[in-house]
Amino acid sequence: EVQLMESGGDLVQPGGSLRLSCAASGFTFSSYGMTWVRQAPGKGLEWVSSILSSTDSRTFYADSVKGRFTVSRDYSKNTVYLQMNSLRAEDTAIYYCAKLLSPGGSNMHFDYWGQGTLVTVSS
Amino acid sequence: ETVLTQSPATLSLSPGERATLSCRASQSVDIYLAWYQQKPGQAPRLLIYDASNRATGIPARFSGSGSGTDFTLTISSLEPEDVAVYYCQQRKNWPPLTFGGGTRVEIK
């Protein structure tokens, strides 16, 4: 059974940093790209970042987070991370990690999602 | 950036009725469009990918159609458990990957 478990969400002051983790199990982690999607309170879904598989290590970011967020993955721990720096109030959201539908990076639809972790940026 | 516009914003129907949800893209996305269902307090769930392919375990009452810029998600006979917000998402023109604003489905 595929499982994705996010952690690391917290209350942080503007300008602060936070690292989110997403522990994956139940599939061949190295073969699949992973993505982060966020949802501000009462709002819709917003793509944040994606990282492809072990055969193609490219990373991609939304303009709203480029230069502030960094996505990475640890294949030995089956975990993907989102390092968030210079946080702003508008980064307040539930952050979901999700698995790409197909191996590699050819299909950027997401078939499994974690339960999400809440990041609140406020003084 | 490819903007996805969903309509209507809210759909209120009786159980057993047919629900038709629309997603329009600002430029062609070929068939590379997915639909997700998000129930209150839950993560999104993939329903349809590449316009018309049902994801694993999705009931047959959910179907998708369309290509280019106009897409439709149809729920053939609405069940009470279908109350949710439905989002479309394109993967043709990225980055960025984009989602529509969502359609809320309610039961009368």
Side-chain angles (χ1 to χ4, degrees):
Chain A
E1 178 194 5
V2 173
Q3 290 193 332
L4 300 171
M5 184 71 68
E6 302 95 337
S7 60
D10 205 347
L11 170 64
V12 61
Q13 291 188 341
S17 298
L18 211 54
R19 188 178 82 158
L20 306 183
S21 300
C22 172
S25 61
F27 64 100
T28 305
F29 180 70
S30 61
S31 297
Y32 288 85
M34 300 292 292
T35 203
W36 289 93
V37 173
R38 68 185 180 183
Q39 187 169 36
K43 302 297 185 182
L45 302 172
E46 178 189 15
W47 172 73
V48 173
S49 179
S50 297
I51 183 167
L52 300 186
S53 66
S54 59
T55 57
D56 181 350
S57 58
R58 286 180 293 166
T59 58
F60 303 89
Y61 300 93
D63 285 347
S64 58
V65 306
K66 198 174 293 183
R68 300 187 299 124
F69 289 12
T70 303
V71 63
S72 61
R73 58 194 298 171
D74 184 333
Y75 292 98
S76 68
K77 295 182 178 179
N78 281 8
T79 300
V80 61
Y81 302 99
L82 187 67
Q83 177 67 42
M84 305 186 296
N85 299 329
S86 302
L87 281 162
R88 306 166 180 168
E90 54 265 36
D91 296 318
T92 295
I94 296 172
Y95 285 72
Y96 296 100
C97 70
K99 167 188 166 291
L100 267 60
L101 177 62
S102 301
S106 61
N107 192 323
M108 301 298 287
H109 293 322
F110 317 122
D111 60 346
Y112 287 94
W113 297 62
Q115 85 291 346
T117 188
L118 177 62
V119 173
T120 303
V121 184
S122 175
S123 55
Chain B
E1 172 175 327
T2 300
V3 176
L4 300 178
T5 303
Q6 292 188 241
S7 62
T10 303
L11 196 55
S12 186
L13 296 169
S14 299
E17 287 194 296
R18 184 182 195 88
T20 303
L21 288 66
S22 173
C23 178
R24 177 162 290 176
S26 61
Q27 60 185 296
S28 175
V29 298
D30 292 341
I31 61 162
Y32 303 122
L33 188 109
W35 292 92
Y36 299 86
Q37 176 193 64
Q38 187 177 33
K39 296 182 179 181
Q42 296 185 17
R45 177 174 72 148
L46 179 65
L47 297 176
I48 302 288
Y49 64 94
D50 292 347
S52 61
N53 297 285
R54 262 191 308 275
T56 303
I58 301 303
R61 65 180 183 275
F62 292 94
S63 63
S65 63
S67 65
T69 60
D70 289 297
F71 298 85
T72 301
L73 174 70
T74 301
I75 310 173
S76 60
S77 179
L78 197 64
E79 301 275 350
E81 62 262 32
D82 299 334
V83 168
V85 179
Y86 294 81
Y87 295 96
C88 55
Q89 177 243 329
Q90 66 84 23
R91 68 174 184 92
K92 167 67 176 176
N93 308 311
W94 78 283
L97 295 163
T98 53
F99 291 88
T103 290
R104 185 178 304 275
V105 173
E106 301 175 340
I107 294 286
K108 277 184 183 175

